[in-house]
Amino acid sequence: MFNHDQNLWIHQAQLLEENGILRPYNIGIKAGKITTITTEDDRHEYTHILDANGWILLPGVIDPQVHFREPGLEHKEDLSTASHACARGGVTSFLEMPNTRPLTTNQATLDDKLQRAAQKSLVNYGFFIGATRDNLAAINQVSPTCGIKVFMGAMHGDLLIDDAEYLERIFATGDRLIAVHAENQQRIHQRRAQLADRYHLPEIHSEIQDEQAALQATALAVHLAIKYQRRLHILHLSTALEVEFLRQHKRPWITAEVTPQHLLLHRSAYHQLGALAQMNPPLRTPHDNQVLWQGLKEGIIDFMATDHAPHTLAEKARPYPESPSGMPGVETLLPVMLTQAKAGQCTLNQVVNWLSTNVAAAYGIANKGKIAPGYDADLVLVDWEHYHPVRREDLQTKCGWSPFEGWELTGWPQVTIVGGQIVYNQGQFNEQARGKALQFLADTIYTNPT
Ligand code: DOR
């Protein structure tokens, strides 16, 4: 069921060709790398054979925005439960955010996370460094990191950077990637005061943290990125207004992402899900869903992320605004998107680009995001024939719920492979397997191929 030597022959998997056609191939893996893709039968050269059963083989998903809560908030999630959820969801690498306890804001807290992940994570890992008011030198020196995370709003405490002058200093200093949570904190304060009398239902969340709050912050970040020619990534775009703004102002060194919930859920979700639908930035309207899809297909939005942000059901049951914002996502991202592809909303090649290839290119993660000789064997075999519902009892995330519960999905991962090792095989986990720390190439110039 599992191989422990990173040597593997995958027999008769369906591989996706560039023209979108699926054809059966055999894949040879040695020392964790893809060595051959062939129609010949060379399985005698390999110690472990995996029959692919006609399933489709895709590059492992790279989820570039997750909150895995360790250290300090392990009652919501930890690196073991989160990485089990990744393995079940076909996510072979993740980039994790700094709002843990302590915050990840210097080399010592980054090293601590790397050490914890080395001990616990079934899949590969990278971490953002969080900008505060007093760590300008550290955010440009720590290593390895995928980039600097800046919360422009919707955050409290040391990670909130809501002062435009200091934000400009961050853009003016250094050259590594800056990823922004773009919501304008002043606007949120104003809206909160204006809407105070209606302040008890989670629906109000989308009106307090409204479209203008998102647009204003995105516009400011883009302005600074152009002024300083600084590599900028805009996290979880949520509005049609931002897509239209980026259509005019985007530059080759600016990228953006969208979550499946912002593509597929809208404000009406509050009626069914209550505070489970509450996240930052909030859910919007069907029109926003549609323009975000369009932006993704046009390449204005470069790739996808889950913003996996688990909170317990007890925490979510608190009355608004004490209910925390965020929803889990790593184990539903791939089947949600493959179900969209099956329904004709997008192509399989687009899903691969949005979930793997473009993410690796944008973050300068070498040898990942594609199935080709010499690439790391981070792979997922999916069943794109049968449909199964998202069920609470199957979830690996510690929070134990999903906004997609009850959705009938296809494309569920059957086998997930990290560095040539099988880590998940039809409901079973390889508890001995461990992922590796990701390395990020400096100065990656990324141009969306779409
Ligand atoms: O809804 C959210 N929750 N958005 C974020 O950006 C942070 C996250 C959290 O950490 O709970």
Side-chain angles (χ1 to χ4, degrees), residues 134-151:
D134 58 11
N135 71 346
L136 201 49
I139 56 178
N140 288 294
Q141 283 161 6
V142 300
S143 175
T145 184
C146 44
I148 300 166
K149 169 69 183 277
V150 175
F151 283 93

Side-chain angles (χ1 to χ4, degrees), residues 291-312:
V291 176
L292 289 164
W293 269 112
Q294 196 53 39
L296 188 57
K297 289 176 187 176
E298 284 176 36
I300 295 168
I301 301 174
D302 301 271
F303 51 81
M304 296 188 68
T306 63
D307 191 16
H308 180 95
H311 298 284
T312 66

Side-chain angles (χ1 to χ4, degrees), residues 333-354:
L333 170 65
L334 183 58
V336 160
M337 291 308 292
L338 290 175
T339 302
Q340 292 295 310
K342 191 83 169 180
Q345 170 65 271
C346 55
T347 67
L348 273 181
N349 272 320
Q350 284 174 317
V351 173
V352 169
N353 286 336
W354 299 336

Side-chain angles (χ1 to χ4, degrees), residues 148-164:
I148 300 166
K149 169 69 183 277
V150 175
F151 283 93
M152 297 171 72
M155 183 43 69
H156 40 79
D158 289 351
L159 286 181
L160 176 64
I161 306 287
D162 61 347
D163 155 0

Side-chain angles (χ1 to χ4, degrees), residues 65 67 69 99 149 151 181 236 279-280 307 309 311 325-326:
Q65 193 196 168
H67 302 263
R69 310 301 192 203
N99 57 329
K149 169 69 183 277
F151 283 93
H181 180 128
H236 43 39
M279 72 165 294
N280 300 333
D307 191 16
H311 298 284
S325 293

